[in-house]
Amino acid sequence: MVTCYAASRAGVLVVRDVADGEENDTPTPSAAYTFEREDVECLDAAAAAPERVFCGTFEAGLHRSRDGGETWDRVGAETLPDAVTSVTVSPHDPDVVYAGTEPSAVYRSTDGGTTWAELSALTDLPSAPEWSFPPRPDTHHVRWITVDPSDPDHLLVAVEAGALVRTRDGGETWDERAPSTRRDTHTIAIHPDAPDVVRAAAGDGYAESDDGGETWTFPQEGLRHRYCWSVAIDPGDPGRILLSAAAGARRAHTPEHAASYLYRKHDRVGSDTDGAGGGDAAERTASAAAEPTETTEWERLDTTAVPTGEGALRATLAAGVDDGELFALTDRGLYRTGDGGDTFARVDVEWPAAFDDRTTQGLAVVEDAA
């Protein structure tokens, strides 16, 4: 069972005791609507510290809960700007936390969010004068920060809009954006079993890299909607990817014009076509037959429980804990799949009316604390 911290523009919903529905005598999921604000921008929590969760706002900085969302306190007010647009807890150490802001800057805490220091070299990059967020063209912000699961000093940072950049030394120095990167990256996902393979959902299309973000390719076949918002990878298979997308920003974010979709593809990331790893030929054949079909072309998932099509705001996606487990958060509910996206079911909890017609802003999934 897991806890899902679900962020909407209207606040945070903490959903506990989420199970697969197939176990006997499991608790009924419960939900608590906490941190009721109108300017929530981002959220994250870490498996190693499941009761500590961070939530960024546009007008009141970064807030932290140390009791699973029951109470919240602002942190870093003396250092962080009011507009905190991204937050990421390092998978290597839950006391190391990164916050991105508007105007674009990255800050790091090494004490679980109590004190912060700016990684100031980011805006010294030559491309920085070109960064601009179209609705507010005189500024820009850090939309996403990802820490490489194999290297705590390797970070990928998406500036909306204008750059996807990297640092190899924890932010002391930054590499300029590669010519092949997208310019409007929204989210990034990396599977710990394939740390060189980077998946990116961007407003100018989907992108992936097989060398840690040095170079990029753009497999779009089957992807009819190219304004991509959220990407997540199956915990049990680094090649199975879910993606939320729309025809454009208005279709993704505006209730009266909304029409968003869910896509999936399956690559053979790290597969061994020679059958190494033990077992005789019959065993290897049986294992291969049990593998899901490879679908390097995107397939649109129109018949699951997740709302898609006309009237549907874009989903925020997140990997779960078990193999095949992924979550999709929309303004109408939280949805879970245990089979890599073949089927979804809505998590049966009371849904806050305040979340209706409000875009979702973040989703963090952790195992329930003992």
Side-chain angles (χ1 to χ4, degrees), residues 12 22 30 72 92 118 127 155 163 175 240 259 307 323 332 337:
V12 176
E22 298 178 357
S30 63
W72 297 84
H92 303 275
E118 184 180 0
S127 66
L155 279 65
D175 297 333
R240 188 186 287 119
D323 293 358
R332 303 297 172 174
T337 177

Side-chain angles (χ1 to χ4, degrees), residues 279-288:
D280 59 22
E283 289 173 334
R284 292 195 297 271
T285 300
S287 177

